[in-house]
Amino acid sequence: MKLDSKGIGWLIAGVVICASSFPGKSVGDMLSTILIGLTFIAVYAMKQKFKPVGLGWFIAGGIFFAFTMDIVFEAAAGLFSRGSDDAGLLSSIMIGGALTFFFLLMFYHRNREVLHDVANGADYSESENGEFEFPFQEQVFKEDTVEVVNETVEQVQPDSANAAPDTDDEFIEIEVTDDDGK
């Protein structure tokens, strides 16, 4: 992927957010801030490949994922340092995980076909109809089609030595009879 000006603001915001995580209060705070920055960098990367629909769902899911991971890091640190587990943190993790899943699922449903095309190697080009193009597959399809058409034409063309003369004087006589044979 090359650096392009399309959606560059998302990339700048992501890099600034990632850079602002240092120095942090704890490793969990730093990592969750980096995850928020990576969410915006992912938006930039998506905008390079396709035009995402419902981008707010993705951003909300990414931010909820970052905050859920912050709570996970906090719970892990509390478990290892104090030896206690906080039931309130567990419920926060479950609620955050459920909201993250819901938001990212909504984004996936809005962009399902596009995401599948991109995963299969589609290159987005700004054509008039806004559809994806598969340049390699189209080229192979066209070559295969030309080969099949050429083979079919060769099979259909009769040999000139065995071909019957083409005259306009020949008529085919057809007898039409009714059900009685008359």
Side-chain angles (χ1 to χ4, degrees):
M1 179 174 69
K2 63 180 184 166
L3 220 52
D4 194 8
S5 65
K6 184 179 10 175
I8 194 75
W10 295 105
L11 178 64
I12 293 170
V15 170
V16 167
I17 291 170
C18 285
S20 71
S21 68
F22 300 103
K25 296 179 198 175
S26 67
V27 174
D29 287 339
M30 289 173 35
L31 290 177
S32 66
T33 304
I34 290 172
L35 285 173
I36 292 172
L38 290 177
T39 299
F40 290 110
I41 292 172
V43 169
Y44 170 76
M46 281 189 290
K47 285 186 142 305
Q48 298 303 307
K49 292 287 187 180
F50 63 97
K51 295 177 184 175
V53 178
L55 200 54
W57 291 111
F58 180 79
I59 294 170
I63 290 174
F64 265 98
F65 178 70
F67 287 129
T68 303
M69 293 311 297
D70 184 31
I71 296 170
V72 167
F73 295 139
E74 182 182 331
L79 183 63
F80 291 126
S81 66
R82 295 184 299 268
S84 65
D85 55 343
D86 189 5
L89 291 179
L90 182 61
S91 66
S92 297
I93 291 170
M94 291 175 62
I95 291 170
L99 288 173
T100 299
F101 178 76
F102 173 73
F103 289 141
L104 293 178
L105 184 67
M106 291 302 294
F107 176 75
Y108 172 76
H109 279 298
R110 302 276 316 261
N111 296 287
R112 180 182 324 166
E113 294 165 1
V114 175
L115 290 171
H116 286 230
D117 287 343
V118 169
N120 288 328
D123 291 331
Y124 179 75
S125 67
E126 304 239 1
S127 60
E128 293 106 28
N129 56 6
E131 293 183 6
F132 287 98
E133 294 183 4
F134 296 88
F136 176 72
Q137 292 176 354
E138 285 183 6
Q139 181 182 7
V140 170
F141 176 74
K142 288 177 183 175
E143 290 172 1
D144 289 345
T145 304
V146 169
E147 290 175 10
V148 169
V149 168
N150 288 339
E151 289 175 9
T152 305
V153 169
E154 290 171 2
Q155 291 174 359
V156 171
Q157 291 178 349
D159 292 337
S160 58
N162 296 336
D166 204 16
T167 61
D168 292 334
D169 297 337
E170 293 182 14
F171 293 100
I172 298 175
E173 188 175 322
I174 300 175
E175 281 189 37
V176 179
T177 59
D178 57 355
D179 293 335
D180 295 336
K182 296 181 185 179

